[in-house]
Amino acid sequence: MAKYKIAWLPGDGCGIDVLDAAKIVLDKIGLDAEYIHGDIGWEFWCKEGEAFPERTVELLKNVDAALFGAITSKPVKEAAAELIPELQNQNLLYRSPIVRMRQLFDLYICLRPCKAYPGNPLNFKDTIDLVIFRENTEDLYSGVEFNPVPEKLSDVLTELSKPFAKFKDVPNDQYAISCKINTHHGSERIIRAAFDYAKKFNRKKVTVVHKANVVRATDGLFLEIAKDVAKEYPGIELDDANIDAMTMWLLKNPLSYDVLVAPNLYGDIISDLSAQLVGGLGFGCSGNIGKDLAVFEPSHGSAPKYAGLYKVNPIATILAVKMMLDWLGEKDKGDILESAVADVIKEGEVRTYDMGGDNTSLDMAEAVASKI
Ligand code: IPM
Ligand code: MG
């Protein structure tokens, strides 16, 4: 029996291409693993009305880790229109499978390292080395949303909230509410994860990203907890910035930042920005990490127009594999893989279209494998 069971979740679009590339690298590195395919993605939404079918949920209960490609998602109405005729009248609501997976398995840490590998023509600066900790289960992603707004809810808000007065006479189908819910527990554990990481890897500073001056209840809570947690980590500087200013500072002075921690939506935003600083989404990798399961993925979407063309840069996915190896406790293999990636980037002989070359995803994977 293999040492590890890994769920293999290509999804759709270019997710399939980049996971094919990842397999080349994994085979070369010789991880003692069984890879078990899981159905997930747009085709299952259209055929079954569920992009993340129950059988795949069950599979994830029985694996050590998962590698996930990408999934096409569309706004609710467009998604409903693509269901097979038999499912058209059932009022099915499209839900993002990856968001659901994060919540279902309590994958509360979204870890997104953004490190520049020298020689990449797309680097903003060759020495950028940021690590983002994004809260992954709550905040504006809680899924508590109303459109139209039920009468009951507007009555309660009229009673409890002064600022709500200006909305109370708006017809209920003329506004919508999405709730930003942040718990003490959820905030504290992601902030602690960021500080633990900083301590373990000798990082000097943790920057909390928020908008506590305006979004006082939830972001205020997040910031207060960060101040408390920071007291337990002498030697690590606590820094904080508003999300708007943060986007500017990250562009202006990316080298001044080290570890960043943010509630879900701000983390989503700064992780795309930071990925661009180190070459774009072709280089952004992501780990969704819980207590019992972790799911690794490139941060990019499914890029449907490139599906099956093997055009997309697989480095983001290959770096996600490196994160998976580290998480499984196979750090030696993870280090070998990372230096193979660094070598290929430095040599610059194999480059995908985003890097100005015309190599395929598979060429890139073969080049990395050849350095292992
Ligand atoms: C990400 C993505 C997802 C998110 C989408 C695909 C739902 O942007 O992983 O950053 O918003 O979390
Ligand atoms: Mg995102």
Side-chain angles (χ1 to χ4, degrees):
M1 220 176 71
K3 187 166 174 200
Y4 303 109
K5 273 190 179 173
I6 311 287
W8 197 255
L9 311 174
D12 57 55
C14 75
I16 297 171
D17 307 22
V18 292
L19 251 62
D20 282 351
K23 191 69 184 8
I24 292 173
V25 169
L26 270 165
D27 285 347
K28 187 69 188 288
I29 211 137
L31 184 70
D32 182 10
E34 180 192 354
Y35 301 99
I36 309 164
H37 178 93
D39 290 341
I40 194 164
W42 191 247
E43 79 173 276
F44 302 99
W45 161 254
C46 300
K47 284 195 304 206
E48 302 177 21
E50 181 47 84
F52 181 23
E54 204 44 44
R55 57 189 178 280
T56 309
V57 174
E58 285 305 309
L59 167 68
L60 286 177
K61 291 181 184 163
N62 294 301
V63 293
D64 297 296
L67 196 64
F68 172 73
I71 290 185
T72 303
S73 63
K74 297 186 185 178
V76 171
K77 280 189 182 146
E78 277 172 52
E82 292 197 28
L83 287 167
I84 54 167
E86 294 86 309
L87 295 173
Q88 286 286 342
N89 293 324
Q90 297 191 13
N91 277 332
L92 295 169
L93 203 66
Y94 183 82
R95 298 175 289 179
S96 161
I98 187 68
V99 172
R100 195 163 150 243
M101 196 186 299
R102 290 166 182 164
Q103 294 179 347
L104 205 57
F105 289 93
D106 202 25
L107 308 175
Y108 66 97
I109 300 173
C110 184
L111 174 57
R112 293 188 157 168
C114 295
K115 177 168 165 183
Y117 292 94
N120 181 354
L122 303 170
N123 284 343
F124 191 69
K125 290 204 168 99
D126 267 358
T127 46
I128 294 173
D129 186 4
L130 301 166
V131 180
I132 295 166
F133 279 79
R134 166 188 178 188
E135 198 290 319
N136 219 14
T137 59
E138 47 185 51
D139 193 53
L140 264 169
Y141 281 66
S142 303
V144 182
E145 303 195 283
F146 305 92
N147 181 17
V149 177
E151 206 81 42
K152 245 188 189 169
L153 181 58
S154 53
D155 288 349
V156 170
L157 289 172
T158 305
E159 192 187 321
L160 298 181
S161 162
K162 266 203 188 126
F164 188 73
K166 67 173 179 283
F167 302 109
K168 83 180 194 348
D169 296 323
V170 178
N172 285 34
D173 60 352
Q174 294 299 306
Y175 70 112
I177 295 181
S178 297
C179 299
K180 174 169 159 83
I181 304 180
N182 302 71
T183 63
H184 194 290
H185 170 69
S187 306
E188 183 177 345
R189 64 183 178 171
I190 190 69
I191 292 165
R192 227 171 246 296
F195 274 94
D196 284 342
Y197 180 98
K199 189 172 170 188
K200 183 167 173 195
F201 294 102
N202 208 16
R203 299 261 181 170
K204 301 287 176 244
K205 180 160 94 171
V206 174
T207 303
V208 183
V209 184
H210 59 84
K211 189 75 190 182
N213 56 341
V214 178
V215 190
R216 289 164 300 179
T218 46
D219 289 357
L221 177 73
F222 199 84
L223 185 56
E224 283 313 307
I225 294 171
K227 287 181 183 163
D228 280 348
V229 170
K231 290 181 195 143
E232 295 170 38
Y233 297 82
I236 301 171
E237 183 194 343
L238 171 71
D239 173 40
D240 76 276
N242 284 316
I243 175 69
D244 52 344
M246 193 69 228
T247 58
M248 186 188 72
W249 291 120
L250 271 174
L251 274 177
K252 192 166 185 222
N253 294 327
L255 302 181
S256 309
Y257 295 94
D258 196 343
V259 176
L260 304 167
V261 63
N264 209 338
L265 185 64
Y266 307 146
D268 183 41
I269 295 168
I270 54 166
S271 54
D272 275 17
L273 174 64
S274 305
Q276 189 57 43
L277 296 175
V278 298
L281 289 177
F283 295 84
C285 54
S286 181
N288 302 282
I289 302 171
K291 280 208 181 72
D292 308 313
L293 177 70
V295 179
F296 298 88
E297 53 164 338
S299 305
H300 62 68
S302 68
K305 67 178 178 186
Y306 294 141
L309 300 179
Y310 291 92
K311 204 173 151 78
V312 167
N313 192 342
I315 288 183
T317 311
I318 293 173
L319 290 172
V321 169
K322 177 237 178 309
M323 293 178 79
M324 181 175 84
L325 293 169
D326 288 350
W327 189 78
L328 288 170
E330 299 282 348
K331 194 175 172 314
D332 291 351
K333 288 188 164 54
D335 288 348
I336 291 170
L337 182 53
E338 186 180 22
S339 52
V341 168
D343 284 354
V344 170
I345 293 175
K346 196 176 206 166
E347 283 175 11
E349 276 164 33
V350 178
R351 285 181 173 175
T352 42
Y353 84 98
D354 53 323
M355 301 173 80
D358 57 8
N359 290 105
T360 66
S361 323
L362 302 181
D363 294 339
M364 182 62 93
E366 296 286 1
V368 172
S370 74
K371 303 281 182 196
I372 292 170

